[in-house]
Amino acid sequence: MKPVCLVIGAGAGIGGNVGQRFAAAGYHACLCRRSDEEGLKRLVDGIEGEGGSASGFLLNAVAENAIEERVAAIEADIGPIEVAVYNLGAQIGDRALRDTSHRAFEMGWRLGTFGLFRLASAVCPLMTERGMGTLLVTSATAAVRGNKGQHSHAAAMGGRRLLCQSLNAEFGPKGIHVAHVLIDGAVDAPDTLGKLLGPQRFQQLRESRGMAHDGLMLPAKIAETYYHLAQQHRSTWTFEIDLRSFTDRPWWNH
Amino acid sequence: MKPVCLVIGAGAGIGGNVGQRFAAAGYHACLCRRSDEEGLKRLVDGIEGEGGSASGFLLNAVAENAIEERVAAIEADIGPIEVAVYNLGAQIGDRALRDTSHRAFEMGWRLGTFGLFRLASAVCPLMTERGMGTLLVTSATAAVRGNKGQHSHAAAMGGRRLLCQSLNAEFGPKGIHVAHVLIDGAVDAPDTLGKLLGPQRFQQLRESRGMAHDGLMLPAKIAETYYHLAQQHRSTWTFEIDLRSFTDRPWWNH
Amino acid sequence: MKPVCLVIGAGAGIGGNVGQRFAAAGYHACLCRRSDEEGLKRLVDGIEGEGGSASGFLLNAVAENAIEERVAAIEADIGPIEVAVYNLGAQIGDRALRDTSHRAFEMGWRLGTFGLFRLASAVCPLMTERGMGTLLVTSATAAVRGNKGQHSHAAAMGGRRLLCQSLNAEFGPKGIHVAHVLIDGAVDAPDTLGKLLGPQRFQQLRESRGMAHDGLMLPAKIAETYYHLAQQHRSTWTFEIDLRSFTDRPWWNH
Amino acid sequence: MKPVCLVIGAGAGIGGNVGQRFAAAGYHACLCRRSDEEGLKRLVDGIEGEGGSASGFLLNAVAENAIEERVAAIEADIGPIEVAVYNLGAQIGDRALRDTSHRAFEMGWRLGTFGLFRLASAVCPLMTERGMGTLLVTSATAAVRGNKGQHSHAAAMGGRRLLCQSLNAEFGPKGIHVAHVLIDGAVDAPDTLGKLLGPQRFQQLRESRGMAHDGLMLPAKIAETYYHLAQQHRSTWTFEIDLRSFTDRPWWNH
């Protein structure tokens, strides 16, 4: 039986590519996303076309019990989740405080912080019993600095980062590798950046900064680092790592 | 008319002492706390006994519209809020992940992060119109490190800190001073530490580490620094400051 | 006998104003600077004209034994140093790596890091014997981020900040208050910024960003915070504090 | 012609293992260490015995021109340095301030900060001409917190970290990958930890915490992460990564 790699938030960007990378290495990839059943099918078919194995699930992560039931079903029907990847974003673009509704702020927290808490609550006990497991958490610049207009996103990601630390403090010594992966730049991802910008501006950005310029982060390359993290020997685990294009200024530089 | 200093979370610790300090300097202190009407009255009477001016309000900060209505009523009935102090804690003691209910995690966020967002949403537009104002936010070690058992608290405080940064990014240039005050140690406060430990253990701690040892942070002394922050000239504002007893190890030292 | 406040690096900016502020509060200010005897005299005269007490010393901080002998002489001739302020900068402007000579890099370290080590080595044993004392260290943005062209400065200030932490770890519990003051913006100081820019550009900057705009940090206002830090009760000491104009972006924001 | 991986500080711990790892992947490893010609020969022989290619050089990194001349000679005689690893430590154990001589403090800087500046000054222009290159810098907990007794080490490593940031700011956009690798735990390395503890205590520690416990970081496993960093695509470079055993508390946890 193949070990399972569960990805919450598997679009055509980091999530889908991480699934592919683990599938290529012999994992069964369980890909979850909220919508776009067709895109999901394409991902699964792509993995199977390469000789890998995968399942796709539509999942509304903020719905009650959705994460919990999906975890339980995968463990019952497919196999033990060895690697869980929390890859849901909570970016809603820059909004002034007065344009940030209570609802938007709460939704940031539900996707950005609470969903990870729920995933961890569901998988960590199982991993603890098995004495091993990996929880890889995609994070963002907003986890380490709160910029103008980022009230909802920064609060959500700041909470996510500190939650990762407390999860690591409890579960690291039990053999569960928690890693907080700081994506500090724009990702060449049609399902997130592409939707934020619209197809035309996205294509322009790809031509001016991406492609041969390597100024947009290639999700397939990011996936290599996720895979490396999951393979680290437990005497040398990484908790936090940042990633950005060589053309980008790190978050701390002006 | 005296300028108003509003304190959300005004017990016998930091909140009450900050109210007292600003009242002594000529502010009208508006003290809000969830319960203990008698304690609240004692605080107000104490301030008035010293020749200061204060009002006390029972306030359940997580109740819908409670913060918003309190702010509106103070502005209508008492005067413009020049200084707002968000001093609600969200510490529930150390709890393993499996003992941290969804409800407890959410309550951490409501008190730790969302309440500040709501207070800021209520007062920042008013302060912006006046071109000035101060928002002082009490914070905790858990805002910068997630320790074992601190899932709810660390996520809440990590969110609080990053929210303060995004508030500062938007409102600093509009003349509103946002400061994140990192309380990195135990405070000699009967209403918080005292209740967490129980009266006997609290008294023992006061005798062994507090009192002449100065190993527990004196809230009246902390209040001096809050007052100093509110008096800083706008060409030299502090966003972040840490405070601890000289006997305590800072959070980064082992 | 007045307590002594020693300032290493006392020009017409932060250093001189800190000396003035402490002198106004009853300290004897010992002002040290490398050159400009006339400027030094003006500072001392200014303090004395206000009814304060001060002495001025020319001091080449990188010369062997210069700091050590000055400390010894002050303790012998004037009185116990209660507050020591290390205010030497090491900014040499932006320089590409190939334009940063070994000599410039080393000079950065001598002024930025080693001089503080030497001052601490000279005063901390004296303060330890007396069970009290304060060491206030002016620091810069470069202590927390290394920007392009800042090789010498960032290495020097990064070293300074971590040295402050280890000094605090050893001497805090002995009653010596060490504080690292992060000056995260341009200071309205003719002796540093003024010399870096030249008189004409400095005056232009003062008119466009400083003066009524309050976009340049006023050193007399910064001095208020230094003084506050030195007055903090030992149960509530600050180790790190940042300061900037309300118009300036904090170092972490883009 | 094989690309060259230069390691400054190649003992039987991280440095030697990194050399081996890159040699196994087809690099020519140039291993430099201060002393122990025999140990150096063993390393080179070991690599060659595995079919790899390597050269060993005795190098006193603090001697004038030693680094510069070694770099020039390798470029002339062996080939272009594609990867440079700065792996010199500056840990001298815990020492009170009064036991930290000026000489010890300066030596910390020479090994910890200045040597890296010199290596970068020597290799970055060559890499810039070639439009590519990698500079991997081993760092330590002391780069992010200054503990008691760590005056020399913390100042040196704090400077090292910020220097890495300024190097990255200048050379990242030129295609040179700078990475700061935070080794946040004890490494199972006879040449460093072994010498610090002495053979008997080192063996006891290996038995109680290392070996089957995986509580000491295995340098061969650390080397895997160094190699991964050097292989990252330039659209997804890491600047900072931490590593520790799963049994160890991260530096920020108490």
Side-chain angles (χ1 to χ4, degrees):
Chain A
M1 195 171 56
K2 289 182 166 194
V4 169
C5 170
L6 165 65
V7 181
I8 309 280
I14 295 174
N17 279 278
V18 167
Q20 267 178 308
R21 182 64 186 84
F22 279 83
Y27 287 78
H28 182 92
C30 288
L31 306 175
C32 303
R33 59 190 296 173
R34 191 168 55 89
S35 58
D36 187 6
E37 194 154 10
E38 215 176 304
L40 184 59
K41 195 176 171 318
R42 257 199 315 275
L43 270 175
V44 171
D45 290 351
I47 289 173
E48 291 177 341
E50 302 281 326
S53 122
S55 314
F57 304 97
L58 289 183
L59 173 81
N60 178 2
V62 302
E64 208 166 337
N65 286 323
I67 292 174
E68 295 77 0
E69 287 170 2
R70 178 48 52 214
V71 164
I74 288 171
E75 289 264 334
D77 304 342
I78 303 183
I81 298 168
E82 198 176 292
V83 178
V85 180
Y86 192 77
N87 187 53
L88 292 179
Q91 179 61 277
I92 51 172
D94 288 344
R95 291 192 198 182
L97 184 65
R98 70 160 179 272
D99 300 327
T100 309
S101 66
H102 285 202
R103 212 182 153 279
F105 192 82
E106 178 168 343
M107 188 53 78
W109 171 74
R110 289 203 179 274
L111 287 165
T113 318
F114 190 48
L116 170 61
F117 171 75
R118 289 169 55 203
L119 174 63
S121 296
V123 300
C124 286
L126 302 166
M127 291 176 172
T128 300
E129 254 174 57
R130 300 193 277 260
M132 60 169 292
T134 302
L135 178 56
L136 302 176
V137 181
T138 303
S139 192
T141 315
V144 283
R145 74 169 177 198
N147 273 334
K148 199 171 157 181
Q150 292 280 298
H151 306 295
S152 165
H153 192 223
M157 289 294 155
R160 179 181 288 193
R161 179 168 180 258
L162 273 284
L163 175 56
C164 285
Q165 289 190 0
S166 67
L167 289 171
N168 175 61
E170 179 171 341
F171 293 102
K174 295 179 178 172
I176 301 174
H177 185 182
V178 180
H180 180 257
V181 185
L182 198 65
I183 304 295
D184 186 29
V187 180
D188 189 357
D191 282 350
T192 44
L193 188 60
K195 278 177 185 160
L196 208 70
L197 296 179
Q200 202 175 348
R201 281 179 58 209
F202 180 52
Q203 187 55 25
Q204 282 169 355
L205 185 70
R206 296 188 76 234
E207 282 165 20
S208 64
R209 272 183 57 194
M211 299 185 174
H213 308 286
D214 288 334
L216 294 179
M217 304 176 75
L218 296 177
K221 304 300 186 178
I222 296 175
E224 293 296 328
T225 291
Y226 278 66
Y227 184 70
H228 175 72
L229 292 172
Q231 305 308 309
Q232 286 181 317
H233 185 260
R234 67 178 188 166
S235 82
T236 58
W237 277 353
T238 289
F239 172 76
E240 194 158 73
I241 183 172
D242 56 11
L243 291 164
R244 69 188 61 78
S245 164
F246 80 112
T247 64
D248 258 3
R249 251 185 216 139
W251 66 264
W252 56 84
N253 285 132
H254 70 63
Chain B
M1 194 171 56
K2 289 184 166 193
V4 170
C5 170
L6 166 64
V7 181
I8 309 280
I14 295 174
N17 279 278
V18 167
Q20 268 178 308
R21 181 64 186 83
F22 279 84
Y27 288 78
H28 181 92
C30 288
L31 306 175
C32 303
R33 60 188 296 174
R34 190 168 55 88
S35 58
D36 187 5
E37 193 154 11
E38 214 175 304
L40 184 59
K41 195 177 172 320
R42 257 198 315 274
L43 271 174
V44 171
D45 290 351
I47 288 172
E48 291 176 341
E50 303 282 328
S53 126
S55 314
F57 305 98
L58 289 184
L59 173 81
N60 179 2
V62 301
E64 209 166 336
N65 286 323
I67 292 175
E68 294 78 0
E69 287 170 1
R70 179 47 54 215
V71 164
I74 289 171
E75 289 266 333
D77 303 343
I78 304 182
I81 298 168
E82 197 176 293
V83 178
V85 180
Y86 192 78
N87 187 52
L88 291 179
Q91 180 62 278
I92 52 171
D94 288 343
R95 291 193 197 179
L97 185 64
R98 69 160 180 273
D99 300 328
T100 310
S101 66
H102 285 203
R103 211 180 154 283
F105 192 83
E106 178 168 344
M107 188 52 79
W109 172 74
R110 290 203 178 275
L111 287 165
T113 318
F114 190 49
L116 171 61
F117 171 76
R118 288 169 56 204
L119 174 63
S121 296
V123 300
C124 286
L126 303 165
M127 291 177 172
T128 300
E129 254 175 59
R130 300 192 278 260
M132 61 169 291
T134 302
L135 177 56
L136 302 175
V137 181
T138 303
S139 193
T141 315
V144 282
R145 74 168 179 200
N147 273 335
K148 200 173 156 181
Q150 291 280 297
H151 306 295
S152 164
H153 192 223
M157 289 295 156
R160 178 180 289 194
R161 180 168 180 259
L162 273 284
L163 175 57
C164 285
Q165 289 190 359
S166 66
L167 290 170
N168 175 61
E170 178 171 343
F171 293 102
K174 296 179 176 172
I176 301 174
H177 185 182
V178 180
H180 180 256
V181 185
L182 197 65
I183 304 296
D184 186 30
V187 179
D188 190 357
D191 282 349
T192 45
L193 187 61
K195 277 176 186 161
L196 208 70
L197 295 179
Q200 202 175 348
R201 282 179 56 209
F202 180 53
Q203 187 54 25
Q204 283 169 356
L205 185 70
R206 297 188 76 235
E207 283 165 19
S208 63
R209 273 184 55 194
M211 300 185 171
H213 308 285
D214 288 333
L216 294 179
M217 303 176 75
L218 297 178
K221 304 300 186 179
I222 295 175
E224 293 296 331
T225 290
Y226 278 66
Y227 184 69
H228 174 72
L229 292 172
Q231 304 309 308
Q232 285 181 317
H233 185 261
R234 67 176 186 165
S235 81
T236 58
W237 277 353
T238 290
F239 173 76
E240 193 157 74
I241 183 173
D242 57 10
L243 293 163
R244 67 187 62 77
S245 164
F246 81 112
T247 64
D248 257 2
R249 249 185 217 137
W251 66 264
W252 58 83
N253 285 132
H254 68 63
Chain C
M1 195 171 57
K2 290 184 166 193
V4 170
C5 170
L6 165 65
V7 181
I8 308 281
I14 295 175
N17 279 277
V18 167
Q20 267 178 309
R21 181 65 186 83
F22 280 83
Y27 287 78
H28 181 91
C30 288
L31 307 175
C32 304
R33 59 188 297 173
R34 190 168 56 87
S35 58
D36 186 7
E37 193 152 12
E38 215 176 304
L40 184 59
K41 194 174 173 320
R42 259 198 315 274
L43 271 174
V44 171
D45 290 351
I47 288 173
E48 291 177 341
E50 302 282 326
S53 123
S55 315
F57 304 97
L58 289 183
L59 173 80
N60 178 2
V62 301
E64 209 167 336
N65 286 321
I67 293 175
E68 294 78 0
E69 287 170 3
R70 178 48 52 216
V71 165
I74 289 171
E75 289 265 333
D77 304 341
I78 303 182
I81 298 167
E82 197 176 293
V83 178
V85 180
Y86 192 78
N87 187 52
L88 292 178
Q91 180 60 280
I92 51 171
D94 288 343
R95 292 193 196 180
L97 185 64
R98 69 160 179 273
D99 300 326
T100 310
S101 65
H102 285 204
R103 209 177 156 283
F105 192 82
E106 178 167 345
M107 188 53 77
W109 172 74
R110 290 203 177 275
L111 287 165
T113 319
F114 190 50
L116 170 61
F117 171 75
R118 288 169 54 203
L119 174 64
S121 296
V123 300
C124 286
L126 303 165
M127 291 176 171
T128 300
E129 254 174 57
R130 301 192 277 261
M132 61 169 292
T134 301
L135 177 57
L136 302 176
V137 181
T138 302
S139 192
T141 315
V144 283
R145 74 168 177 199
N147 273 334
K148 199 172 157 180
Q150 291 280 298
H151 306 295
S152 165
H153 193 222
M157 289 295 156
R160 180 182 287 194
R161 180 168 180 258
L162 272 284
L163 175 57
C164 284
Q165 289 191 357
S166 66
L167 289 171
N168 176 60
E170 178 170 342
F171 293 102
K174 296 180 177 171
I176 301 174
H177 184 182
V178 180
H180 180 256
V181 185
L182 197 64
I183 304 295
D184 186 30
V187 180
D188 190 358
D191 283 349
T192 45
L193 188 59
K195 278 179 185 160
L196 208 69
L197 296 179
Q200 202 175 347
R201 284 179 55 209
F202 180 53
Q203 187 55 23
Q204 284 169 356
L205 185 71
R206 295 188 76 235
E207 283 165 20
S208 63
R209 275 184 54 194
M211 300 185 173
H213 308 285
D214 288 335
L216 294 180
M217 305 176 73
L218 297 177
K221 304 301 185 178
I222 295 175
E224 293 297 329
T225 291
Y226 278 66
Y227 184 70
H228 174 72
L229 292 172
Q231 305 308 308
Q232 285 181 317
H233 186 261
R234 67 177 186 165
S235 82
T236 59
W237 277 353
T238 290
F239 172 76
E240 194 159 73
I241 183 173
D242 57 10
L243 293 163
R244 68 187 62 77
S245 164
F246 80 112
T247 63
D248 257 3
R249 249 184 217 139
W251 66 263
W252 57 83
N253 285 133
H254 69 63
Chain D
M1 193 170 57
K2 290 183 166 193
V4 170
C5 170
L6 166 64
V7 180
I8 308 281
I14 294 174
N17 279 277
V18 167
Q20 266 178 311
R21 182 63 187 85
F22 279 83
Y27 287 78
H28 181 92
C30 288
L31 307 175
C32 304
R33 61 189 297 175
R34 190 168 55 87
S35 57
D36 187 6
E37 194 155 7
E38 214 176 305
L40 184 59
K41 194 175 173 320
R42 257 198 315 276
L43 272 174
V44 171
D45 290 350
I47 288 173
E48 292 178 341
E50 302 282 327
S53 123
S55 315
F57 303 98
L58 290 184
L59 173 80
N60 179 2
V62 302
E64 209 167 336
N65 286 321
I67 292 175
E68 294 78 0
E69 287 170 2
R70 178 48 54 214
V71 165
I74 289 172
E75 289 265 333
D77 304 341
I78 303 183
I81 298 168
E82 198 176 294
V83 178
V85 180
Y86 192 78
N87 187 53
L88 292 178
Q91 180 62 278
I92 51 171
D94 288 344
R95 291 192 196 180
L97 185 64
R98 71 161 179 272
D99 300 327
T100 310
S101 65
H102 285 203
R103 211 181 154 281
F105 192 81
E106 178 168 343
M107 188 53 80
W109 172 74
R110 289 202 177 275
L111 287 165
T113 317
F114 190 49
L116 171 61
F117 171 75
R118 288 169 55 202
L119 174 64
S121 296
V123 300
C124 286
L126 302 166
M127 291 176 171
T128 300
E129 254 175 59
R130 300 192 278 260
M132 61 169 291
T134 302
L135 178 56
L136 302 175
V137 181
T138 303
S139 192
T141 315
V144 283
R145 74 168 178 200
N147 273 334
K148 200 172 156 181
Q150 292 280 297
H151 307 295
S152 164
H153 193 222
M157 289 295 156
R160 179 181 289 194
R161 180 168 179 258
L162 272 284
L163 175 57
C164 285
Q165 289 191 359
S166 66
L167 289 171
N168 176 60
E170 179 170 341
F171 293 102
K174 296 181 177 172
I176 301 175
H177 184 182
V178 180
H180 180 257
V181 185
L182 198 63
I183 304 296
D184 187 29
V187 180
D188 190 357
D191 283 349
T192 45
L193 187 60
K195 278 177 185 160
L196 209 70
L197 296 178
Q200 203 174 349
R201 283 179 57 210
F202 180 53
Q203 187 54 24
Q204 283 169 355
L205 184 71
R206 297 188 75 233
E207 282 165 21
S208 64
R209 274 183 57 194
M211 299 185 173
H213 307 286
D214 288 334
L216 294 179
M217 304 176 73
L218 297 177
K221 304 300 186 179
I222 295 175
E224 293 296 329
T225 291
Y226 278 65
Y227 184 70
H228 175 72
L229 292 171
Q231 305 308 308
Q232 285 181 316
H233 185 260
R234 66 178 187 164
S235 82
T236 58
W237 278 352
T238 289
F239 173 75
E240 193 158 74
I241 183 173
D242 57 8
L243 292 163
R244 67 188 62 76
S245 165
F246 81 113
T247 63
D248 257 3
R249 251 185 216 140
W251 66 263
W252 57 83
N253 285 133
H254 70 62

